[in-house]
Amino acid sequence: MKSIGISEKTHKELVTLKLEENNKNADEIIRKLIISYKKMRFMEASLLFNQKLKEKNISFKKLLKKSKAIREEVADELFPD
Amino acid sequence: MNYSQIRIVIDTNVIYMSLYNKYSKAGKIIDFALENKIHLYSPESVKEEIIRVLKRELNYSDELIDTILNELPITWVEKDIYAMAIAQTQVKHKPDKPIEALSLVLNCGILSADHHFRNRINIDELLNELEKQ
């Protein structure tokens, strides 16, 4: 186990969450928060990906087609005959 | 089967699908990996493919590409690890060989939209099992 320093306010909020959500301990709450944060960041990456497709006016199907060609190019470079 | 004990090799098309639609089956797979319920791996050839596609086709900056790759809960495996297994692969299409080779090295199944992989995992069955846990 490791210790971290947090403010009184954050500590109070963690304790409240622990009671409200019936979590075992602060470690469990923090792990859940980390997962939620990572999911949120992945959501942002997904939004950006769709925004880029729109900006470039390229369909998802077309992107997959172009990716196949690039896949062959990469394979030829990494594993030349 | 306890999927948290097993490893899965993920193909590019599933990664793109998860980015395209966060709520798709592929997106759910990423969520389960973020929850550490499954462990996703992919060869560096797939990483390189993604980098080039994002850069050339979607004008991503190097910084944004790094960000995207860091958000993906995937362990990228270097060529040296799976190169020896390329000769044992059965898939005919050369660009697919790194995927199969890595699955042979890790002794695990493949998540791909391409049906020609012998040890391809059925995504519906996988999700059903994971949702039960």
Side-chain angles (χ1 to χ4, degrees):
Chain A
M1 280 289 177
K2 299 275 183 187
S3 299
I4 53 167
I6 54 172
S7 67
E8 190 71 36
K9 191 182 170 206
T10 304
H11 180 265
K12 203 173 172 182
E13 287 186 13
L14 274 174
V15 171
T16 307
L17 275 177
K18 180 180 172 288
L19 294 171
E20 280 177 1
E21 302 293 322
N22 206 19
N23 289 291
K24 277 188 283 184
N25 47 44
D27 183 76
E28 190 181 342
I29 302 167
I30 293 169
R31 275 192 289 114
K32 283 182 181 174
L33 290 172
I34 290 169
I35 290 169
S36 297
Y37 181 67
K38 285 181 177 177
K39 284 184 179 178
M40 185 201 73
R41 288 204 319 203
F42 185 71
M43 168 71 86
E44 286 171 2
S46 171
L47 289 172
L48 179 68
F49 182 76
N50 279 282
Q51 188 187 318
K52 288 278 187 184
L53 283 173
K54 205 172 175 183
E55 276 172 17
K56 296 291 288 179
N57 196 25
I58 180 170
S59 69
F60 183 60
K61 204 174 168 184
K62 198 173 176 187
L63 186 86
L64 289 180
K65 214 171 176 178
K66 284 179 179 280
S67 186
K68 278 199 170 185
I70 290 175
R71 188 183 183 91
E72 297 203 8
E73 174 190 300
V74 172
D76 285 341
E77 285 176 28
L78 286 177
F79 299 97
D81 292 325
Chain B
M1 184 182 285
N2 185 356
Y3 282 95
S4 64
Q5 301 297 312
I6 68 160
R7 300 172 283 200
I8 295 168
V9 172
I10 188 166
D11 199 359
T12 331
N13 42 41
V14 181
I15 299 170
Y16 286 139
M17 181 47 82
S18 71
L19 282 167
Y20 181 60
N21 183 357
K22 166 90 179 62
Y23 302 102
S24 63
K25 291 172 187 173
K28 286 180 183 169
I29 293 293
I30 295 295
D31 276 351
F32 280 119
L34 288 169
E35 292 167 14
N36 294 317
K37 289 183 178 165
I38 49 171
H39 300 281
L40 300 176
Y41 294 83
S42 206
E44 66 172 3
S45 58
V46 162
K47 184 181 177 184
E48 184 58 32
E49 183 187 333
I50 292 173
I51 290 171
R52 291 187 194 187
V53 168
L54 295 182
K55 202 167 193 172
R56 285 190 210 162
E57 306 302 330
L58 298 179
N59 278 1
Y60 272 71
S61 64
D62 291 341
E63 195 186 344
L64 268 181
I65 289 170
D66 280 347
T67 305
I68 290 257
L69 292 173
N70 286 331
E71 306 309 348
L72 291 167
I74 297 169
T75 301
W76 304 103
V77 182
E78 287 180 20
K79 180 186 163 188
D80 293 350
I81 308 286
Y82 59 85
M84 291 291 279
I86 292 277
Q88 296 161 41
T89 56
Q90 293 190 348
V91 71
K92 286 178 182 163
H93 197 215
K94 186 179 163 186
D96 293 335
K97 286 182 179 288
I99 296 278
E100 192 185 346
L102 182 59
S103 79
L104 291 172
V105 169
L106 296 175
N107 192 24
C108 66
I110 298 167
L111 261 183
S112 174
D114 291 334
H115 291 251
H116 50 250
F117 290 110
R118 198 169 43 95
N119 47 350
R120 182 173 171 263
I121 293 171
N122 181 311
I123 196 166
D124 292 314
E125 286 176 13
L126 174 62
L127 286 172
N128 279 339
E129 286 297 324
L130 290 169
E131 277 158 10
K132 275 186 217 163
Q133 284 179 22

